[in-house]
Amino acid sequence: MRTAAALRDAGRDALALWRLRTTVGALALGIAAFAPLAASDARAADLAGGLYLAAAAVGLALAAGVAGLPCLAQGAFVAVGAVVSAHLLAHGTPTVLAALAGGTAGVLAGGTVGIAFVRLPPAGFAAATWIVSWLVALALQSLPWLLGGAQGIVVAGGPTPSQQYELALALTALSMLAYTALARAPIGLALAAAREREAAARALGVRTARLRVTVIAAGGGIAGVSGALAVQLAGVGDPASYGPFLSFKLLVVVLVGGGLAAFGAPVGVLVLGALSLAADALGTLEHVAASRAHELLAAIMLLGVVSLGWEGIVRPARRERLGGDSALPQRPETAPLTAVDVGKSFGELAAATDVSLEVEPGRITALVGPNGSGKTTLLRLLAGTLVADTGRIDRAEGGVARTLQSTAVFPSLTPVEHLLVASAARRRRSGFLRSLLATPLARAEEGAFVAEARHVLGQFGLATQADVPAGALPVSDQRLLMLAAAYATGASILLVDEPTAGASTGEARRVIAQLLRLRDQGLGLLVVEHNLGVVRNLADRIIVLDAGRVVADGPPDEVAANERVRAAYLGRQTL
Ligand code: ADP
Ligand code: MG
C-alpha cells in the first residue's frame, strides 16, 4: 500500500515537472541519436565536434549564467582535459578512463582558478581568467612535453566517428541534466541571489565564494571530459586548437544562447555554426581567411550582446516548486547576544568605541543615534560581517541574522525562493551530490521547506504574493519580505536595520506589528530606528549611540529623561 502511494506521489511529481521543454528535449535527443544513420563519417565527426563544444559551453553556463561570473578560462579547462587524456590514450588507456581522468583534471583546474580569483570584482575576474587562457596556450606551444609541441601528440584508434557522435550526444545531454539539477537546487537559488544582491545574500548566510568555486569546478569538470574525448575525435592533441579564442568562443556561445537555461548553450553553438557559414561567405568576398572572419564576426556579436545587455536567446523556464509537509524551524534555546568593550576603527575614524550591550531573547532593543553614529557598523560587528578590532562578542547558539538598511530583495526570485535561500543553511540534504542526483530525500526535504516558506509568508501577510518575482512587489512588501527571510534563517537573534525607513505611517505599522509578533515568539531583536514615535511603541529597551559610544542604555522612560541624551541631540524631539 505504502509503495503504491509513494509511486503515485512520484508520478505526480514527475508530471508536475514535465514541461513542454522536457518533451521537446527528449524528442530532440531521440531523433538526434539516429543522426549517424543518415550522415557520412566526416559529417558525424563534425557534429560530434559541435556537441563537445556545446557540452563545454553548458559547463561554462554554470559559472557564467547561474553564478554570473564572466569566466574566460573554460577553454583552458578543455585544454587541461585534452592534455591529460592525450598522454593516457597514447599509452593505450581505454577511452572511458581517459575521459574520467580528463574530467578530474578539469575539476582541479576549475577549482584552482576559482579559489584564486573568485573574490575579484567581475572585471578583474574576467581579466584574470583570460590571462589563464593565454598562459595555458603559451605553455602548450612552448613546452613540447606538455602536448608534443608543434607536431602535437598523435592519438590513434578509438571509437568510430558515429560512436564518437553518440558519446558526444550523451555528454551534452548529461551536462544539461546536471546543469538543470544544480540550477534548480538550493545551490542554484543561492547563486542567483548572490548574483543579484551579493551583500543581501551574505547577510542571509549564503557562502558566496564557496558556492562559486563549486560551480566553476563542476563546469571545469565538464570541460575536461569534453576536451578528453574531443582529442580522440581529432586524432591528435594539437596545441594550436587551444588558443584563448576557444575560451572566448565558449563565452560567446553562452551569452548569445542564454546562460540561465540548459538549452541556451546548445542553441548558442547552432548560432555559432551559422556564423561560421557566414564567415565562409565573407571570407570569399573579402579575401580574408575564413577562420579570421569567424573570429571577427564572433567578436562583433559579443560586443553587441554585452553592450545591449541582452540576456540571450533561450530564457529560463519558471521554476516549479513542489509542496510538502511543513517542517517549521526548530529554534534552539535562545541565549542573549552580548558584546563587551567592542571597538572598530576605519583608519582614523573610530566607528565604535568600548561598546558593551546585550540583546535579550523575547525583547526588542532599539538602537538610536544620529546619522553616522555607528549603528550599522555595530550591527555588522554583531552579525560577524565585520571583525572587531578590540573586545569580545558572544553569539547565541541559535545564530544571528541581519537585514540590510536598504530594501535589498533579489528581483528575479519569488518570495518563496527568498525564504528557501534563507533556510538553506538549516537543510541537511541539499549538498552538491544530492542536488546533482535530485535524490528522493533531497526532494522530500525541498517540499517541506517550500511548505514552511509558504507558512511563514502567510504569517507576514505575503501569502498572495508568494510566487511573484520580488522585484515586482511594492517596497512595503519587499521590506516585510526581507524580515521574513531573516526569520526563515532560523536565527534566534535578529538585527534589523531601519525597517521603516521611507515607509508611510500605515506601512510602518505593518512592520511594527511583525516585529512585536516575532518578539512574542521569543526572538531577540535589535532594531535600528530613526522614528522616535516608532521606538516608543516598540522598544523594551533603548540604547543610544553617539560618535560610536553608548551614551545611554535602559528602559524607554529612563532614557527619555536622560539629560545627556537630550543635550546631545534629542533636544528637538521628545521621546
Ligand atoms: P549609522 O548607521 O549610524 O548612520 P554607520 O555605522 O553607517 O553609521 O557609519 C559610522 C561611521 O563609520 C560613518 O562615519 C561612516 O562614514 C563610517 N564607515 C562606515 N563603514 C565604513 C567603511 N566600510 N569604511 C570606512 N568608513 C566607514
Ligand atoms: Mg546606518
Side-chain angles (χ1 to χ4, degrees), residues 254-331:
V254 172
L255 293 184
V256 170
L260 294 179
F263 280 105
V267 167
V269 169
L270 288 179
V271 172
L272 209 70
L275 202 67
S276 124
L277 295 181
D280 288 345
L282 186 74
T284 8
L285 221 63
E286 293 289 330
H287 306 290
V288 211
S291 68
R292 285 287 154 206
H294 190 176
E295 292 176 15
L296 191 73
L297 288 180
I300 291 172
M301 195 139 131
L302 185 64
L303 269 185
V305 169
V306 170
S307 56
L308 295 178
W310 196 46
E311 288 169 35
I313 297 171
V314 188
R315 302 298 161 85
R318 254 182 51 73
R319 285 176 286 250
E320 292 298 320
R321 298 271 162 221
L322 304 171
D325 295 327
S326 171
L328 274 176
Q330 288 287 324
R331 278 168 216 277

Side-chain angles (χ1 to χ4, degrees), residues 17-227:
L17 292 171
W18 192 268
R19 313 233 73 76
L20 182 62
R21 281 175 193 238
T22 327
T23 317
V24 172
L27 272 178
L29 187 66
I31 294 169
F34 290 103
L37 292 180
S40 66
D41 271 5
R43 184 111 310 272
D46 262 5
L47 291 174
L51 283 169
Y52 284 134
L53 192 69
V58 172
L60 176 59
L62 283 171
V66 178
L69 297 165
C71 178
L72 278 161
Q74 190 74 351
F77 306 151
V78 173
V80 168
V83 167
V84 169
S85 158
H87 283 282
L88 291 174
L89 291 170
H91 287 89
T93 311
T95 304
V96 174
L97 285 184
L100 284 179
T104 309
V107 169
L108 293 176
T112 309
V113 165
I115 289 169
F117 304 130
V118 82
R119 285 178 182 80
L120 296 177
F125 184 82
T129 48
W130 182 233
I131 291 169
V132 167
S133 282
W134 276 100
L135 281 179
V136 168
L138 289 175
L140 292 183
Q141 275 163 20
S142 50
L143 305 173
W145 54 267
L146 267 179
L147 202 56
Q151 277 82 46
I153 291 183
V154 175
V155 180
T160 65
S162 40
Q163 286 169 338
Q164 275 280 359
Y165 171 85
E166 303 294 354
L167 269 176
L169 188 64
L171 179 66
T172 307
L174 281 176
S175 306
M176 287 168 69
L177 284 177
Y179 173 97
T180 308
L182 288 177
R184 294 176 48 91
I187 293 179
L189 268 187
L191 283 168
R195 191 179 72 218
E196 300 199 332
R197 290 261 156 87
E198 175 149 12
R202 280 172 191 257
L204 290 177
V206 174
R207 303 169 76 170
T208 50
R210 192 183 146 135
L211 295 182
R212 285 172 176 164
V213 171
T214 307
V215 289
I216 298 169
I222 296 174
V225 176
S226 157

Side-chain angles (χ1 to χ4, degrees), residues 345-439:
S345 298
F346 297 110
E348 296 281 278
L349 180 90
T353 311
D354 292 338
V355 175
S356 297
L357 58 79
E358 198 174 65
V359 184
E360 296 157 286
R363 309 195 76 186
I364 294 181
T365 305
L367 186 61
V368 304
N371 264 331
S373 58
K375 303 180 296 293
T376 298
T377 303
L378 187 55
L379 290 202
R380 295 178 68 203
L381 289 166
L382 293 174
T385 322
L386 207 59
V387 180
D389 298 334
T390 57
R392 181 166 57 83
I393 293 169
D394 290 325
R395 276 179 210 96
E397 185 59 26
V400 175
R402 179 172 72 106
T403 70
L404 303 189
Q405 183 165 346
S406 52
T407 358
V409 296
F410 312 118
S412 80
L413 270 58
T414 67
V416 166
E417 289 169 344
H418 277 71
L419 268 59
L420 289 177
V421 169
S423 62
R426 287 190 284 121
R427 294 173 68 163
R428 291 292 158 261
R429 306 199 162 98
S430 62
F432 180 77
L433 276 184
R434 284 195 200 262
S435 298
L436 197 59
L437 303 173
T439 65

